[in-house]
Amino acid sequence: MKQNSGNISVEEAKDALMHLDNANQLAEKYLRPPLVFRVVMTFIIGGLTYAAAMSSGSSLWTFVCSIFTIALLVTMLVHYFYLRSQGVKVRICPLTRFERWFSFVSGFVVAAILVGAMQLEKAGYSWIPIVSGTINGLLAYYMFSNFTASGARIKSEGE
Amino acid sequence: MKEHQFDSIIHAPNRLQICALIAPNSSVEFSVIKEQLNVSDSVLSKHVKTLEDAGYIQVEKKIANGRQRTWLSLTKAGRGAFDGHVAALREIVG
């Protein structure tokens, strides 16, 4: 047993970790966005990717792309203020190294699919926008379902 | 290598859970924590006071729509102590 352990046994430590897991599950439950929000975000991010891929040389698709971007920001703001009204102020900036890394990688993957789709559509692959839109939409749904703020935190064990 | 610090103030089950509920967020309202932990006002107030006296929690009372809301947030010291305590527990368990 370590000197800084406050002389607690392994069983007591396990018990404390069980309480912690319980609290993490409660946090997961109230932080997870409702189903309607996740579905709306899936369509917005999927639509944004599709519109961006179609936007080269088309002012109409560029306009649609802007509409989806505005819709994305508005939906995020609505969710932020909804949680605030429910008594939870969400952290905007990631705090730990793991959270920063996780945010960077997930953002990079979505952006890479979007930029890749734009380039491939220009090269003549006309099926790319629908495939990339579906991938990004489903990816967004998965992220919003499984990696809420506390989700990222739980997975940063040992940091 | 970083030494993880066991913290007897945070170790109490309710206080550990209070910190765990606040940690993923910027701040959480008193009533939300009370509801999640299923404890009375007085019990939660006592634990919050202990954490506040230790400098781990900041309590902010604000009035919104004619209703007083009490927001709890972890201080920098509180966040460090909580993370260190959790890491220390995991080290003990192995």
Side-chain angles (χ1 to χ4, degrees), chain A residues 2 4-5 8 16-17 19-20 22-23 26 30-31 84-89 91 95 149-150 153 157, chain B residues 3-4 6 16-17 20-21 23-29 32 36 62 69 71 79 83 86 90-93:
Chain A
K2 292 190 169 26
N4 66 355
S5 66
I8 68 156
L17 286 174
H19 282 110
L20 186 71
N22 182 38
L26 291 171
Y30 72 71
L31 282 174
R84 204 183 159 117
S85 74
Q86 298 299 305
V88 179
K89 283 185 196 166
R91 255 192 298 118
L95 266 186
S150 63
R153 191 175 176 81
E157 287 180 2
Chain B
E3 176 93 359
H4 300 302
F6 180 89
L16 185 65
Q17 289 187 311
L21 287 171
N25 305 296
S26 170
S27 48
V28 180
E29 211 182 335
V32 173
Q36 298 292 329
K62 284 182 180 169
R69 303 178 84 175
W71 292 91
R79 201 170 283 281
D83 287 343
V86 173
R90 289 197 170 116
E91 267 180 23
I92 294 167
V93 172

Side-chain angles (χ1 to χ4, degrees), chain A residues 109-131:
Chain A
V109 168
V110 170
I113 291 173
L114 197 142
V115 173
M118 287 166 81
Q119 297 304 318
L120 287 172
E121 203 279 333
K122 261 195 258 180
Y125 296 94
S126 56
W127 49 271
I128 280 290
I130 191 78
V131 172

Side-chain angles (χ1 to χ4, degrees), chain A residues 42 106 109-110 113 134-145:
Chain A
T42 301
S106 49
V109 168
V110 170
I113 291 173
T134 307
I135 291 172
N136 261 358
L138 292 177
L139 204 59
Y141 184 86
Y142 180 77
M143 300 289 274
F144 282 112
S145 299

Side-chain angles (χ1 to χ4, degrees), chain A:
Chain A
M1 194 178 290
K2 292 190 169 26
Q3 281 192 326
N4 66 355
S5 66
N7 292 323
I8 68 156
S9 65
V10 173
E11 276 65 39
E12 283 176 301
K14 277 184 183 166
D15 197 40
L17 286 174
M18 207 177 72
H19 282 110
L20 186 71
D21 283 344
N22 182 38
N24 283 335
Q25 279 169 19
L26 291 171
E28 273 289 304
K29 214 167 88 180
Y30 72 71
L31 282 174
R32 179 173 292 144
L35 181 66
V36 65
F37 173 86
R38 284 178 275 156
V39 171
V40 167
M41 286 303 278
T42 301
F43 279 104
I44 290 175
I45 292 175
L48 175 62
T49 308
Y50 181 86
M54 298 289 285
S55 66
S56 66
S58 165
S59 56
L60 173 68
W61 281 111
T62 307
F63 175 72
V64 174
C65 197
S66 325
I67 298 291
F68 274 120
T69 306
I70 293 166
L72 178 69
L73 294 173
V74 169
T75 313
M76 296 291 276
L77 276 175
V78 166
H79 183 58
Y80 175 82
F81 284 107
Y82 166 75
L83 277 179
R84 204 183 159 117
S85 74
Q86 298 299 305
V88 179
K89 283 185 196 166
V90 180
R91 255 192 298 118
I92 309 275
C93 299
L95 266 186
T96 65
R97 203 169 29 155
F98 177 85
E99 286 173 357
R100 281 193 286 273
W101 176 85
F102 183 82
S103 305
F104 173 77
V105 170
S106 49
F108 180 81
V109 168
V110 170
I113 291 173
L114 197 142
V115 173
M118 287 166 81
Q119 297 304 318
L120 287 172
E121 203 279 333
K122 261 195 258 180
Y125 296 94
S126 56
W127 49 271
I128 280 290
I130 191 78
V131 172
S132 57
T134 307
I135 291 172
N136 261 358
L138 292 177
L139 204 59
Y141 184 86
Y142 180 77
M143 300 289 274
F144 282 112
S145 299
N146 297 289
F147 298 95
T148 53
S150 63
R153 191 175 176 81
I154 289 163
K155 286 161 187 67
S156 69
E157 287 180 2
E159 193 162 331

